[in-house]
């Protein structure tokens, strides 16, 4: 394309990545040496960064619109898990070449989600190299708030939003490792490529949950982070794990539990709620339009995870996603 031939880094930034979000707390957006952001008094800044690498986190030929959405969604999911209000985002893009159609598509997916949550793109970086995307989101919390991993206590209920394992099912379908019945294929592909960050749920849980995180690497591994940080033991009721119709139509019950516990990329929230707040939970989450399910409880004993099937101990291999597993 002739236009691309003449486009340099600064043209691209100006044309595609400099938009006016209308946020009053952005004193200086893209274009200077730093962004300048107005942090209100008595406010905590919540900051999180995630990188997506081609061939590791997504297929190289993934639809750029979906990729733009996902790159921001997985970052917003971390703000959701903290209960923070999203405000700003920066974007570091490493691109093998200038492909304007790709950049346009990426921006369409990215900015649609950014506008939905009123997040301003305030800066970033552009380099040439193997395709990789690093997003850093910034949100705020009132002083003293924030859903940490370390607050779970004996007697708390354990909950998750949505259904579990669908993204992993979508990945297995894409890799040809199993066959999802045709009517459910789009659903599972969407779950893999188009996660919805649970921002409203996180905000609603701010004064209710004792701990929370987002499930990016599989429920079992991620819940273990809560258990380790809180120094507690959990009992999980396998029969309570929320499974989609797509899941139950595609695999056996044992496989479904495997995917629900070990599959990555769900971006649902897992959280604990003490008894005193359980009554508020239904009301607080009712306006979020997201289903939630109790899947177990925090009990007495050594920190760790116990699986129960209708009250009886059950054993299954558990392994969260670890990029460095097996690497020397
Ligand atoms: P520097 O050389 O100071 O690092 P750059 O040339 O990388 O600056 O970037 C120039 C300006 O454009 C900066 O304000 C930067 O934040 C912004 N910018 C660069 N890449 C992006 C991007 N992908 N999205 C938004 N803003 C960007
Ligand atoms: Mg730079």
């Amino acid at each position: 394309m002739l236009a691309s031939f003449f486009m340099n880094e600064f043209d691209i930034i100006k044309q595609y990545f400099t938009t006016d979000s209308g946020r009053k707390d952005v004193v200086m957006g893209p274009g200077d040496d730093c962004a300048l952001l107005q942090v209100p008094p008595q406010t905590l800044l919540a900051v999180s960064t995630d990188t997506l690498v081609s061939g590791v986190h997504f297929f190289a030929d993934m639809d750029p619109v979906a990729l733009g959405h996902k790159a921001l969604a997985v970052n917003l999911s971390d703000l959701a898990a903290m209960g923070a209000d999203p405000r700003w985002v920066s974007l570091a893009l490493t691109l093998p070449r200038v492909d304007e159609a790709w950049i346009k598509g990426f921006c369409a997916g990215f900015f649609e989600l950014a506008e939905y949550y009123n997040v301003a793109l305030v800066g970033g970086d552009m380099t040439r190299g193997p395709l990789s995307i690093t997003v850093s989101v910034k949100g705020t919390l009132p002083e003293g708030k924030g859903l940490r991993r370390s607050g779970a206590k004996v007697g708390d209920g354990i909950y998750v939003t949505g259904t579990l394992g669908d993204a992993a099912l979508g990945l297995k379908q894409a890799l040809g490792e199993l066959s999802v019945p045709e009517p459910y294929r789009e659903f599972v592909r969407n779950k893999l490529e188009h996660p919805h960050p649970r921002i409203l749920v996180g905000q609603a849980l701010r004064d209710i949950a004792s701990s929370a995180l987002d499930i990016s690497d599989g429920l079992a591994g991620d819940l273990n982070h809560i258990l380790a940080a809180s120094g507690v033991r959990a009992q999980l009721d396998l029969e309570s794990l929320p499974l989609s119709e797509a899941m139950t139509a595609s695999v056996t019950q044992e496989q479904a539990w495997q995917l629900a516990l070990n599959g990555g990329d769900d971006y649902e929230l897992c959280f604990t709620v003490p008894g005193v707040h359980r009554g508020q939970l239904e009301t607080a989450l009712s306006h979020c339009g997201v289903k939630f399910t109790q899947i177990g409880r925090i009990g007495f004993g050594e920190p760790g995870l116990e699986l129960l099937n209708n009250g009886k101990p059950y054993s299954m291999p558990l392994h969260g996603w670890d990029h460095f597993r097996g690497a020397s």
Side-chain angles (χ1 to χ4, degrees):
M1 225 193 302
L2 201 60
S4 322
F5 185 75
F6 292 106
M7 274 204 125
N8 68 26
E9 180 188 336
F10 302 103
D11 296 331
I12 297 168
I13 294 168
K14 205 157 166 210
Q15 176 148 352
Y16 293 104
F17 296 102
T18 309
T19 59
D20 181 12
S21 68
R23 284 199 72 106
K24 300 275 189 299
D25 53 14
V26 179
V27 178
M28 171 60 75
D32 213 306
D33 298 313
C34 290
L36 296 174
L37 308 170
Q38 189 77 55
V39 185
Q42 267 104 48
T43 298
L44 294 176
L45 198 54
V47 179
S48 180
T49 302
D50 261 316
T51 295
L52 301 187
V53 177
S54 175
V56 178
H57 300 94
F58 59 93
F59 297 113
D61 62 353
M62 181 174 170
D63 170 27
V65 182
L67 187 57
H69 171 97
K70 185 162 178 175
L72 179 54
V74 304
N75 276 271
L76 288 176
S77 178
D78 282 309
L79 288 185
M82 215 68 196
D85 303 320
R87 285 182 187 244
W88 310 299
V89 61
S90 47
L91 168 67
L93 270 181
T94 305
L95 303 175
R97 68 192 155 276
V98 173
D99 175 346
E100 273 198 75
W102 189 95
I103 294 174
K104 254 187 213 155
F106 181 89
C107 285
F110 187 92
F111 283 113
E112 190 196 23
L113 186 61
E115 279 162 28
Y116 185 82
Y117 286 111
N118 191 20
V119 188
L121 178 65
V122 296
D125 199 17
M126 291 261 298
T127 46
R128 187 187 287 250
L131 178 58
S132 137
I133 302 148
T134 297
V135 174
S136 176
V137 282
K138 288 100 190 157
T140 51
L141 277 160
E143 239 172 39
K145 301 289 177 190
L147 297 169
R148 303 174 191 210
R149 299 174 173 190
S150 54
K153 299 243 160 30
V154 173
D156 291 0
I158 304 171
Y159 297 80
V160 290
T161 56
T163 53
L164 299 175
D166 298 319
L169 188 62
L171 178 62
K172 287 202 173 289
Q173 163 72 34
L175 292 170
E177 290 177 12
L178 53 72
S179 178
V180 173
E182 214 285 315
Y184 300 112
R185 283 195 193 153
E186 198 181 324
F187 169 83
V188 296
R189 210 192 55 220
N190 249 314
K191 286 291 212 152
L192 178 63
E193 295 194 338
H194 220 265
H196 292 282
R198 302 304 191 192
I199 293 290
L200 294 180
V201 176
Q203 292 166 341
L205 289 175
R206 235 183 239 168
D207 297 312
I208 292 177
S210 50
S211 72
L213 50 55
D214 66 323
I215 309 174
S216 51
D217 300 328
L219 170 67
D222 285 328
L223 176 56
N224 259 318
H225 295 315
I226 287 186
L227 305 181
S230 303
V232 292
R233 185 169 189 80
Q235 295 176 329
L236 264 197
D237 305 320
L238 291 170
E239 72 281 0
S240 300
L241 292 177
L243 304 174
S244 67
E245 221 179 281
M247 179 67 83
T248 48
S250 305
V251 296
T252 64
Q253 186 175 69
E254 168 88 16
Q255 285 172 318
W257 289 345
Q258 274 288 352
L259 289 168
L261 291 172
N262 295 322
D265 265 357
D266 278 330
Y267 302 103
E268 297 294 346
L269 296 187
C270 175
F271 54 97
T272 56
V273 177
V276 285
H277 289 147
R278 229 162 279 172
Q280 289 163 263
L281 190 55
E282 192 83 37
T283 327
L285 296 197
S286 61
H287 71 282
C288 302
V290 179
K291 152 188 147 113
F292 66 96
T293 313
Q294 181 168 6
I295 55 167
R297 69 211 68 78
I298 304 292
F300 290 100
E302 286 289 292
L305 184 59
E306 221 174 283
L307 300 181
L308 301 176
N309 180 8
N310 289 305
K312 297 203 186 66
Y314 195 86
S315 164
M316 254 171 54
L318 298 177
H319 53 81
W321 178 255
D322 174 358
H323 281 283
F324 294 99
R325 192 171 48 180
S328 52

